[in-house]
Amino acid sequence: MTRKYYVVDHNPLWMEQFKTEEKLLKEIFGKVAVNIHHIGSTAIPSIKAKPIIDILIEVTSLSEVDQLNQKLGKLGYEAKGENGIAERRYFQKGGIKRSHHLHCFLSDHTEVKRHLNFRDYLIANPEKAGEYSDLKHRLSLEHGGDREAYLKGKEPLIKQFDKEAEIWSPKYN
């Protein structure tokens, strides 16, 4: 069965869902977790998003994360290894009706800075967030059943906003 890619209006409950999951993850990760962040479109107020909570955990050791696969499995997370991004541990929760994505990186990994810059830049720039939201909505209508086309359609704007966010934010540079 193929998952459809669709976006919905922002749901204020997404922040609560993140906070609930964050508490559970803190218990499992303990001192391995340096920081736990809500990332992705569900973390950006007012924009349309796939209703999946993206969580980024900065960790001290990927090998220690690998030792947590069974505990995370009890919470419903399926380990996916690097899943296309070097030096990442990726987990999905919810099977075909996915509810959460979990991304684990060492704290100094460039993807940590990129994700946080992107999120914060769109929160601080509602007109850019609106542009991104409109694009995602259009692409989900045009390519909802085609993951690759949906992702490829977002890529140029994401790259543009990544560059703008890096210049904009000294916080994570």
Side-chain angles (χ1 to χ4, degrees), residues 78-96:
E78 182 181 353
K80 297 289 190 174
E82 289 185 332
N83 201 51
I85 299 177
E87 300 174 355
R88 170 179 78 163
R89 295 301 180 271
Y90 177 69
F91 302 83
Q92 296 173 339
K93 184 175 184 177
I96 197 81

Side-chain angles (χ1 to χ4, degrees), residues 37-40 43-44 114-124 165 168 171-172:
H37 306 279
H38 186 186
I39 62 166
I44 302 166
R114 187 185 72 76
H115 280 289
L116 298 178
N117 275 349
F118 186 85
R119 178 201 65 195
D120 292 351
Y121 179 69
L122 291 185
I123 289 171
W168 169 82
K171 185 174 180 180
Y172 302 107

Side-chain angles (χ1 to χ4, degrees), residues 5 17 48 53 56 59-60 68 72 75 94 107 122 128 133:
Y5 276 72
Q17 291 170 350
K48 293 181 181 291
I53 308 300
L56 185 150
V59 298
T60 57
L68 300 174
L72 287 166
L75 272 185
S107 289
L122 291 185
K128 301 284 186 178
S133 181

